[in-house]
Amino acid sequence: MFDPFSVVETEAVTEPPEGLEDSIQRADAATFWGFLAAAGLAQAGLFAASLGLMLAGFRGQGTLGGALVGGGVVALALAGGIVRWHRRR
């Protein structure tokens, strides 16, 4: 029987890659909070939009599904706006 984990090299990582700690310490607070906000909004937006599409399509709950899709699209647009704002900085 084939073991799929036999082809993966397991190597214990004891330290972070070179220069990672310095780059994290140099990041300002706006970058950190912007990243967290964009990541959270993107996750919530994808979840709400996909759940809304499933509710509308499979269960026929168009009102709730449409509201979730709309909220998800707004959350994704906000995440995109945060990313665009941060790139212009």
Side-chain angles (χ1 to χ4, degrees):
M1 178 176 237
F2 177 69
D3 180 19
F5 294 109
S6 66
V7 295
V8 178
E9 293 181 26
T10 57
E11 183 177 304
V13 178
T14 57
E15 315 182 344
E18 187 73 28
L20 180 65
E21 292 178 21
D22 294 334
S23 63
I24 289 174
Q25 290 173 353
R26 282 182 292 172
D28 59 345
T31 302
F32 175 73
W33 289 112
F35 171 77
L36 286 181
L41 283 169
Q43 290 289 323
L46 286 173
F47 176 72
S50 61
L51 181 63
L53 286 173
M54 286 190 289
L55 282 174
F58 296 130
R59 302 207 51 183
Q61 297 177 345
T63 305
L64 179 60
L68 282 172
V69 169
V73 169
V74 168
L76 288 171
L78 287 173
I82 289 172
V83 171
R84 263 187 259 119
W85 171 78
H86 194 276
R87 283 186 181 168
R88 281 190 229 147
R89 280 185 68 222

